[in-house]
Amino acid sequence: MVNGKVETPEGCEINVAYHCNLGCASCSHLSPAFRRSLAEPETIARDLALLARSFRAQFVKVLGGEPLLHPRLVEILHSIRAAGIAPRVLVCTNGLLLPRMGEDFWAAVDEVEISVYPGRELPEEARARILGHAEDHGVTLTVNHYSHFRYSYSEHGTDDEQLIRRIHATCQIAHVWRCHTVYEGHFFTCPQSVFIPQIIGDPQDIRADGLRITDDPGFAERLLAHLRSPQPLRACRNCMGSAGRRMPHQQRTRRDFRIPQQHTTEELADRRFLALLETVPDADDGCASAESAPLLPSPSLRKRS
């Protein structure tokens, strides 16, 4: 807590498009299971402006699904910056639509993070064009290559309370990377607690794991307690956290995306990696085929106009 605000050493996330133009197996946001669905820019602007009174992040990460599918993305990027919740705006994308983005997009971001999957690489000419746009606008460009995934959730889940607690306690998404998510007036520890209930049909309120964002004097303290709580979330009964078994990358259709997850948590858990996470919280999950590499220097080192 700094000057009455909760400060995180990482960022917070906004999912602007819940569907995607790819169907990556075990997508941690379950995007292949969603029909076309977009966040309302007005809702995002309202939520971040309110949250900024009690919360400070190092960056806001805009993602999905595939965020470049949102027709009002640039408007959203401007509203994020106007909220004053973080000094940097980052867009995370599979990159396939980047060659279509105009100068207004590149002028509105500080960093673009591209996730590249086997067989989905852009041609050299398109990569050069993207690099040129980033350089012209002082945008950091980071490329991550992935060859594997880990199972992100289980359709059948588990009732083993000890296993649920172990998975929650070792979840890199919540506790190491701190992928805290703002969604429809609520603050969530992780994106899985937003999306799992919507896909597997949890009869409970889909916002049950979130904290409603308010403007009362006690909100910052409640937010800090929410983030520090050792108690597993409801979604943890079906979430694999960081402990799912590893699988080679593959693309699946919307119709068959959920088939591989038709197992219990016990069947999909990587017990050896779970034990490793209990001693090495930031252990490499073995999914990246190459190190993340910034292709251009951070804009924080240069003054932006």
Side-chain angles (χ1 to χ4, degrees):
M1 191 77 76
V2 179
N3 297 324
K5 291 186 179 183
V6 176
E7 287 201 3
T8 174
E10 301 293 338
C12 69
E13 297 187 353
I14 297 289
N15 294 266
V16 299
Y18 309 122
H19 61 299
C20 190
N21 53 349
L22 293 180
C24 299
S26 202
C27 170
S28 62
H29 289 202
L30 287 67
S31 299
F34 280 88
R35 296 185 184 275
R36 185 180 185 276
S37 182
L38 301 169
E40 291 292 337
E42 295 79 9
T43 300
I44 293 172
R46 177 203 67 197
D47 290 347
L48 290 184
L50 183 58
L51 181 62
R53 302 174 188 177
S54 303
F55 181 76
R56 178 74 172 170
Q58 302 308 304
F59 56 87
V60 173
K61 180 181 284 192
V62 179
L63 67 175
E66 173 49 53
L68 303 190
L69 290 170
H70 202 300
R72 296 170 65 186
L73 178 59
V74 172
E75 177 185 339
I76 291 172
L77 299 178
H78 286 308
S79 68
I80 291 171
R81 197 174 298 281
I85 196 169
R88 298 175 62 226
V89 179
L90 186 158
V91 171
C92 183
T93 171
N94 59 42
L96 297 179
L97 299 177
L98 272 176
R100 304 182 188 178
M101 305 308 290
E103 296 295 326
D104 55 350
F105 167 80
W106 293 101
V109 297
D110 297 298
E111 182 173 351
V112 174
E113 184 179 294
I114 305 173
S115 298
V116 179
Y117 309 109
R120 294 296 187 272
E121 300 88 351
L122 286 168
E124 181 61 35
E125 180 183 350
R127 293 200 300 270
R129 190 159 65 251
I130 290 168
L131 189 63
H133 284 306
E135 187 170 26
D136 289 345
H137 291 276
V139 174
T140 298
L141 196 61
T142 302
V143 179
N144 304 303
H145 293 263
Y146 295 98
S147 59
H148 290 74
F149 282 94
R150 288 189 177 271
Y151 282 95
S152 61
Y153 82 103
S154 159
E155 289 275 342
H156 301 310
T158 182
D159 291 323
D160 184 336
E161 297 293 340
Q162 182 180 9
L163 179 57
I164 292 170
R165 288 183 176 277
R166 291 180 68 196
I167 289 174
H168 173 262
T170 58
C171 180
Q172 295 176 321
I173 299 163
H175 307 307
V176 177
W177 306 331
R178 295 181 175 90
C179 301
H180 307 322
T181 300
V182 178
Y183 174 80
E184 294 190 355
H186 289 70
F187 189 100
F188 291 81
T189 304
C190 63
Q192 284 76 2
S193 58
V194 175
F195 298 121
I196 287 177
Q198 297 186 51
I199 295 304
I200 66 171
D202 189 332
Q204 303 294 333
D205 182 357
I206 62 171
R207 297 172 182 79
D209 283 330
L211 178 68
R212 188 167 68 88
I213 301 169
T214 64
D215 193 28
D216 65 271
F219 175 73
E221 291 289 350
R222 293 198 305 276
L223 177 58
L224 187 60
H226 178 76
L227 292 173
R228 287 179 170 175
S229 175
Q231 296 301 317
L233 306 169
R234 290 188 187 183
C236 293
R237 292 188 173 275
N238 292 85
C239 186
M240 299 306 302
S242 301
R245 287 195 285 109
R246 203 168 66 113
M247 69 160 84
H249 168 79
Q250 57 180 290
Q251 293 290 315
R252 303 189 72 90
T253 66
R254 183 175 181 274
R255 182 177 61 184
D256 65 6
F257 168 73
R258 296 175 63 179
I259 294 174
Q261 283 77 230
Q262 296 288 341
H263 296 278
T264 64
T265 299
E266 287 83 353
E267 292 173 307
L268 297 181
D270 182 339
R271 301 279 183 162
R272 180 176 297 181
F273 189 59
L274 177 58
L276 175 62
L277 288 170
E278 289 175 322
T279 57
V280 186
D282 61 348
D284 186 344
D285 64 6
C287 293
S289 58
E291 291 295 322
S292 301
L295 301 182
L296 292 170
S298 170
S300 63
L301 301 179
R302 292 178 287 177
K303 182 178 180 181
R304 289 177 57 88
S305 59

